[in-house]
Amino acid sequence: MPLDRRSLLTGSAAFALANAARAADPPRDDAGRALDTLKHPVARVFPAGPPAAILLYTLAPELLLGWPRAIRPSEKPYLLPRAADLPEVGRLTGRGNTANLESVLALKPDLILDVGSTAETYRSLADRVQGQTGIPYALLDGRLASAPATYRSLGRLIGRDAEPLAALSQSTLATIRERVATVPEEKRPRVYLARGPRGLETARAGSINVEALVLMGAANVAGPGGGLAQVSPEDVVAWAPDVIVALDPAFAAAARRDPLWQATPALRANRLHVGPSLPFGWVDFPPSVNRLAGLWWLGKVLYPALFPEDIRAVARDLYGRLYHVTPDDPALDRVLAETS
């Protein structure tokens, strides 16, 4: 039905009022930075790093311009085909940043999205890139505990309904906290996070890499200090972890044959576990919402009596909701193949 003149005038007035309100109160990112130049609709988003790429993919895969690292063949079955085939665009932030501003400009994004720390170092980077490119640069809180609020922030910025995924992450975190709270401090396991092919890189308390373990109430045997650290097998033996969570299956296989590692309580009790990693790590890397599945897996590893859920059913549901692909049994077999 054609619009009459009064309807057109009314619509124009409403649009003008909305623009005026937007100009008066521009959208802000989680660092409190005003994104005055952000225009809607947002159709093209450049992810500054892996956490941003994963968060954006889960909410609006059609907006993703590419991946900081190209998706590997083993990861592709768990993602939408069009998204899985997107090009590698490099990264603007974090270790090994490989994207330059010319390549970012060539992709003509409406928004650059960064998810992680909102500390001054990253605010300064966001300001600098935004100033040099003229492209709005949104910095969102990447802490796992902040996932519900981060989803809502992203939804507001890109004009998408983020409430289903915000509610999913909120209910997951609430359930985890409620169950872990029933475990007395003295009965919570002492855990070593084994990173790398030799298992001798770990993350100290305060690092983003052990956020999932912190939410699970685990005591980090590597102690405080934040960040990553190189240690020796003798250090791990002295720390006497009850559980070792590894990221590399090859390390786990070697450790089970090594008398030195076998001296740990974890190996003696057969409590060395490898975190699933398809299409993204469940426990540590990248530090984004992919770790929501890891909370349920860690629950079964650390507190089997408190987490009776079938991890296959949990993974199938979460993959369908986060990655828009529901894996079949053979695909789930591959995800969980080396986790025990």
Side-chain angles (χ1 to χ4, degrees), residues 166-235:
L168 170 65
S169 51
Q170 190 165 314
S171 64
T172 297
L173 291 165
T175 300
I176 297 300
R177 290 184 177 118
E178 180 181 322
R179 295 187 191 181
V180 171
T182 66
V183 183
E185 290 285 341
E186 66 273 14
K187 292 189 176 181
R188 296 183 180 184
R190 303 175 68 256
V191 179
Y192 173 72
L193 176 66
R195 306 176 91 250
R198 299 177 61 219
L200 296 177
E201 181 180 74
T202 193
R204 298 195 185 277
S207 167
I208 195 171
N209 304 86
V210 288
E211 282 187 326
L213 289 170
V214 170
L215 284 166
M216 299 308 303
N220 186 347
V221 298
L228 300 176
Q230 294 291 328
V231 301
S232 69
E234 291 78 12
D235 289 327

Side-chain angles (χ1 to χ4, degrees), residues 16-27 35-40 42 156-157:
L17 286 172
N19 278 344
R22 188 176 181 82
D25 186 19
L35 303 177
D36 307 82
T37 59
L38 182 62
K39 306 293 183 185
H40 279 264
V42 174
R156 286 191 295 271
L157 291 175

Side-chain angles (χ1 to χ4, degrees), residues 232-259:
S232 69
E234 291 78 12
D235 289 327
V236 183
V237 171
W239 291 332
D242 303 313
V243 179
I244 295 174
V245 175
L247 304 185
D248 190 315
F251 155 71
R256 292 186 180 109
R257 300 189 300 267
D258 188 325

Side-chain angles (χ1 to χ4, degrees), residues 11-259:
S12 298
F15 183 76
L17 286 172
N19 278 344
R22 188 176 181 82
D25 186 19
R28 294 181 179 273
D29 65 11
D30 289 348
R33 300 170 50 258
L35 303 177
D36 307 82
T37 59
L38 182 62
K39 306 293 183 185
H40 279 264
V42 174
R44 299 169 63 81
V45 180
F46 183 94
I54 294 170
L55 182 75
L56 178 65
Y57 171 82
T58 62
L59 180 58
E62 70 279 6
L63 302 188
L64 185 64
L65 281 172
W67 298 94
R69 171 188 59 75
I71 298 298
R72 298 186 176 108
S74 62
E75 300 161 344
K76 287 188 175 186
Y78 305 95
L79 301 170
L80 293 170
R82 178 188 171 278
D85 289 336
L86 286 171
E88 181 171 319
V89 296
R91 57 190 296 170
L92 284 173
T93 186
R95 293 191 299 174
N97 52 312
T98 55
N100 57 59
L101 297 187
E102 289 77 13
S103 64
V104 175
L105 285 166
L107 291 169
K108 300 180 180 178
D110 302 311
L111 175 69
I112 297 171
L113 177 66
D114 194 359
V115 176
S117 172
T118 58
E120 177 57 34
T121 297
Y122 297 95
R123 290 198 297 269
S124 297
L125 171 66
D127 288 340
R128 183 170 70 252
V129 173
Q130 184 169 298
Q132 290 173 339
T133 64
I135 302 167
Y137 188 123
L139 181 57
L140 300 187
D141 188 345
R143 292 174 297 177
L144 186 54
S146 300
T150 301
Y151 265 125
R152 293 179 179 116
S153 293
L154 179 58
R156 286 191 295 271
L157 291 175
I158 64 175
R160 293 292 191 279
D161 179 13
E163 197 53 37
L165 290 176
L168 170 65
S169 51
Q170 190 165 314
S171 64
T172 297
L173 291 165
T175 300
I176 297 300
R177 290 184 177 118
E178 180 181 322
R179 295 187 191 181
V180 171
T182 66
V183 183
E185 290 285 341
E186 66 273 14
K187 292 189 176 181
R188 296 183 180 184
R190 303 175 68 256
V191 179
Y192 173 72
L193 176 66
R195 306 176 91 250
R198 299 177 61 219
L200 296 177
E201 181 180 74
T202 193
R204 298 195 185 277
S207 167
I208 195 171
N209 304 86
V210 288
E211 282 187 326
L213 289 170
V214 170
L215 284 166
M216 299 308 303
N220 186 347
V221 298
L228 300 176
Q230 294 291 328
V231 301
S232 69
E234 291 78 12
D235 289 327
V236 183
V237 171
W239 291 332
D242 303 313
V243 179
I244 295 174
V245 175
L247 304 185
D248 190 315
F251 155 71
R256 292 186 180 109
R257 300 189 300 267
D258 188 325

